[in-house]
Every structure is written in structure tokens, then in C-alpha cells.
Amino acid sequence: MKKHYFLAVPIEEKQRMILQNWIHNHKSSLPFKSWVHPEDYHITLAFLGDIEQHSKLIELTKRVNETLKNDQQFEISLKGIDVFGKAESPRILWAGVEHSVSLNHLQTRIVKACEETGFQLDRKPFRPHITLARKWNSVQPFIKFARLDEVFNDQPSPSLVSSIHLYQTNLDQIPKYEAINIFPLKRK
């Protein structure tokens, strides 16, 4: 079984708990086929796909270390729940984050490091999000309930981005994402 790799921001425990609490309160009315394990919550910066050459991972690790050597930690906050896909039958339920210049800048630089290492990346615009569930699984259409996009406005939820992880996907395990390299950011 091929393994896929990606670079991502891991989600801190306190934000995972906020998301889990929201899911606990709404899951019965949201029949998605699969729910993401809380330890797998992350914000993807660059999806690398299958990597057949170990030397490419070594080169990427060096380049990402160099790219991040002066980057400082920063905070992000949860903002809303939304979907990707057809309105009546979405493929992804996700939690968003407040706009962050630091996060956007970091993602741009990570993509550049990956491309300089020879990776062909998807060039869709960056939409930072945390996937919560996949594949609507009901004959009834999905109905976007009131305030879906304002779910976390009443709860302060800043979280520290203190590292970037290089993850490997293990489809036969739960949780399925394994951090095979951690790139720490400097403390302020």
C-alpha cells in the first residue's frame, strides 16, 4: 500500500477538544460516512502525494529546515464550520481558522520549498481548514443550519502554531497520520 506525505500545521489539544465538543453535539444530525480522528486534525500546507525516492524526503527535510530556521511561533483561532462540494451532498465538513497573515506567508514559503525540491503541487488557492468529516451519507439533502459559519465566535480559541509536521499516511491505522519529521518554530 502506497503512503502519501504532506506538510501541515498540527492542531493543539485545546482546539481539538473544542471541535470534538461541537461534533458530539451535532454528529447525530450530520450523517457523514467517515469522521476524522481528533489526533489527525491538521491544516495542510502542501500535499506531496506518494514519494518513491527516499532521497527526495531527505532533500525536502533539509530545505524545510532552512526555510523555517528564523520563523517564529504564532497564534491561530478557529472560525466557523463549513463544507466543500455540492450544497445538498457535501464531500467535506471542515472547521475554518481566522485569517492569518503569518499562516498564509508560511504556506507560501513551504510550497516554494517543496517546488524547489522537485514536487509538483496542486496550485489551488490556499483555504486553511481542518477536515472533520467526509462524504455526506444520506438520501436527505444536507441543510446548512443557522450560524454554521459562526460556531466558534463565542469561544476564544487561540492556539499556538509551534511546529510544522511532515506526515505520512497509514491508511490501515487509526489515527492514520504519523508525524515522521517535526520542524519547530522559534519561541517569541
Side-chain angles (χ1 to χ4, degrees):
M1 187 177 306
K2 289 188 176 184
K3 295 184 184 280
H4 292 129
Y5 298 86
F6 60 95
L7 287 153
V9 172
I11 303 304
E12 280 191 330
E13 177 69 21
K14 66 181 174 179
Q15 285 190 325
R16 289 197 314 256
M17 294 304 292
I18 290 169
L19 293 169
Q20 276 302 102
N21 185 51
W22 185 88
I23 289 168
H24 175 76
N25 292 330
H26 296 90
K27 190 174 184 177
S28 63
S29 63
L30 295 168
F32 280 86
K33 187 174 184 176
S34 64
W35 290 84
V36 175
H37 190 282
E39 289 181 37
D40 284 338
Y41 293 165
H42 66 274
I43 299 169
T44 301
L45 301 173
F47 180 75
L48 307 170
D50 181 37
I51 302 173
E52 293 182 16
Q53 302 168 344
H54 185 69
S55 60
K56 204 168 181 182
L57 272 179
I58 293 169
E59 176 61 29
L60 177 65
T61 298
K62 289 177 189 175
R63 196 168 299 261
V64 171
N65 271 322
E66 182 63 26
T67 297
L68 299 177
K69 70 180 180 185
N70 294 315
D71 282 37
Q72 291 189 339
Q73 298 175 352
F74 59 94
E75 288 187 338
I76 57 173
S77 295
L78 295 173
K79 182 183 175 164
I81 302 281
D82 209 339
V83 294
F84 290 139
K86 295 178 184 176
E88 67 280 356
S89 135
R91 59 184 172 78
I92 301 287
L93 177 73
W94 54 268
V97 295
E98 292 280 349
H99 174 74
S100 168
V101 172
S102 297
L103 180 61
N104 289 340
H105 182 66
L106 175 68
Q107 190 268 346
T108 299
R109 293 174 49 253
I110 290 293
V111 165
K112 183 178 180 197
C114 293
E115 290 176 340
E116 288 173 348
T117 310
F119 289 94
Q120 302 293 317
L121 303 180
D122 187 352
R123 295 304 281 165
K124 289 183 205 167
F126 181 50
R127 299 244 347 242
H129 66 278
I130 304 156
T131 299
L132 303 176
R134 292 182 175 86
K135 297 182 184 170
W136 183 250
N137 193 27
S138 175
V139 293
Q140 299 299 317
F142 174 79
I143 298 172
K144 193 170 184 176
F145 50 90
R147 293 181 46 95
L148 188 62
D149 59 344
E150 300 173 3
V151 174
F152 305 115
N153 286 354
D154 300 332
Q155 299 182 49
S157 61
S159 179
L160 188 65
V161 175
S162 59
S163 64
I164 305 306
H165 292 191
L166 174 59
Y167 286 105
Q168 167 183 291
T169 302
N170 300 305
L171 295 175
D172 58 342
Q173 297 176 11
I174 298 175
K176 68 179 179 179
Y177 303 136
E178 175 186 357
I180 61 169
N181 208 326
I182 298 173
F183 306 95
L185 302 177
K186 288 184 174 183
R187 292 180 187 222
K188 286 186 176 183

